[in-house]
């Protein structure tokens, strides 16, 4: 069965510092990978997705992620975070490349001034 | 577009009562998803509709849960009778399905309904 592991439940970081949120998945077949962000009391919003092609994917709000097939990872990065980036971030993979999203447990990014 | 609309945003009810959650997908979208978010289990897909037809309800916890989509612009998730363990945030999402049931289509989430069952 496919699964998604987000190793860090919370990542504190100072404003303007770089950040990396880790995501590993387990799958024996090709997958589609996603990062979603959830701001407090709001629904999830797509940051970026990897379907095929270039392994470096750029998303909204200055975020990017790199697909690494050999390490089965899809880590999310931002070179300089803002206070407004404080939110919960979810990595997700589609099950057997179907519509069914399997979500990780989430990583809470806490940006401090 | 107003995005996916869910109502109510908050619902507090007593055990045994019937609860109905409502969702209006983005106009033109033909796929609709209901998710549940809890601390223990994270985000789980409950049911998936395509062109108003339930395609996959394998995530529905038990018979107390039912979902309908009478037309392209409205869906309901009903819990009868409700229990304290149903307390969670319920999200509705919609997407414009390309027709091949593959996961390339972006799902747009509503703000969620926070359900508390006492």
């Amino acid at each position: 069965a496919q699964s998604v592991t987000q190793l860090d439940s919370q990542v504190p970081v100072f404003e303007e510092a770089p950040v990396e949120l880790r995501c590993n998945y387990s799958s024996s077949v090709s997958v589609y990978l996603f990062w979603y962000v959830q701001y407090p009391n709001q629904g999830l919003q797509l940051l970026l997705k990897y379907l095929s092609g270039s392994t470096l994917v750029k998303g909204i709000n200055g975020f990017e992620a790199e697909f690494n097939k050999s390490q089965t990872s899809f880590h999310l990065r931002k070179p300089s975070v803002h206070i407004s980036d404080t939110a919960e971030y979810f990595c997700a993979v589609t099950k057997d490349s179907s519509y069914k999203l399997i979500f990780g447990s989430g990583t809470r990014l806490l940006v401090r001034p | 577009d107003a995005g996916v609309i869910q109502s109510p945003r908050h619902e507090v009810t007593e055990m045994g009562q019937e609860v109905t959650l409502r969702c209006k997908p983005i106009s033109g979208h033909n796929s609709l998803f209901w998710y549940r978010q809890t601390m223990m289990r994270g985000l789980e897909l409950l049911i998936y509709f395509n062109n108003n037809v339930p395609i996959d309800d394998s995530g529905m916890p038990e018979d107390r849960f039912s979902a309908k989509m009478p037309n392209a612009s409205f869906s309901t998730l009903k819990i009868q009778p409700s229990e304290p363990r149903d307390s969670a945030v319920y999200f509705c999402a919609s997407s414009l399905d390309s027709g091949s049931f593959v996961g390339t289509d972006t799902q747009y989430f509503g703000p969620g309904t926070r359900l508390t069952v006492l």
Side-chain angles (χ1 to χ4, degrees):
Chain A
Q2 288 180 321
S3 68
V4 180
T5 302
Q6 293 184 246
L7 296 169
D8 305 302
S9 59
Q10 182 165 304
V11 173
V13 64
F14 287 108
E15 192 174 18
E16 298 184 4
V19 71
E20 177 180 83
L21 305 183
R22 297 180 291 172
C23 173
N24 289 87
Y25 67 94
S26 64
S27 173
S28 59
V29 298
S30 298
V31 296
Y32 301 134
L33 295 154
F34 305 78
W35 275 100
Y36 279 84
V37 60
Q38 184 179 25
Y39 298 104
N41 299 315
Q42 294 186 27
L44 280 71
Q45 179 183 4
L46 182 69
L47 275 177
L48 48 81
K49 61 184 178 182
Y50 171 78
L51 306 180
S52 64
S54 173
T55 57
L56 184 62
V57 181
K58 292 190 182 297
I60 62 172
N61 301 341
F63 284 92
E64 63 181 30
E66 185 158 17
F67 171 60
N68 188 318
K69 187 174 183 179
S70 62
Q71 297 188 3
T72 60
S73 68
F74 191 55
H75 301 332
L76 182 71
R77 302 186 184 99
K78 186 169 183 178
S80 176
V81 295
H82 303 289
I83 297 287
S84 59
D85 293 323
T86 293
E88 187 102 21
Y89 292 79
F90 292 92
C91 182
V93 60
T94 52
K95 181 179 179 180
D96 300 324
S97 299
S98 76
Y99 54 85
K100 200 160 189 173
L101 280 171
I102 308 297
F103 285 91
S105 55
T107 297
R108 183 171 298 276
L109 177 62
L110 180 59
V111 182
R112 297 167 173 165
Chain B
D1 199 308
V4 176
I5 299 173
Q6 292 187 246
S7 65
R9 293 293 310 274
H10 302 274
E11 177 79 36
V12 180
T13 190
E14 292 187 346
M15 183 174 63
Q17 296 298 306
E18 177 180 295
V19 174
T20 299
L21 311 181
R22 297 172 175 81
C23 174
K24 176 179 169 56
I26 292 173
S27 177
H29 282 188
N30 55 357
S31 289
L32 185 139
F33 307 80
W34 281 100
Y35 289 90
R36 180 172 65 176
Q37 184 180 38
T38 62
M39 289 292 292
M40 292 296 294
R41 299 175 67 88
L43 272 157
E44 304 172 281
L45 177 66
L46 299 178
I47 188 168
Y48 161 54
F49 290 89
N50 184 262
N51 291 320
N52 311 336
V53 176
I55 302 299
D56 182 355
D57 65 355
S58 60
M60 296 287 264
E62 47 197 277
D63 292 345
R64 298 185 297 106
F65 285 70
S66 62
K68 294 182 179 179
M69 192 164 186
N71 56 62
S73 59
F74 183 65
S75 177
T76 60
L77 177 68
K78 186 176 293 185
I79 308 173
Q80 167 63 19
S82 58
E83 296 182 2
R85 59 193 170 114
D86 301 330
S87 297
V89 181
Y90 291 82
F91 289 103
C92 176
S94 71
S95 69
L96 180 60
D97 174 35
S98 59
S100 54
F101 296 108
V102 296
T104 58
D105 308 308
T106 298
Q107 295 183 25
Y108 295 84
F109 283 73
T113 295
R114 182 174 295 277
L115 173 64
T116 302
V117 184
L118 303 174

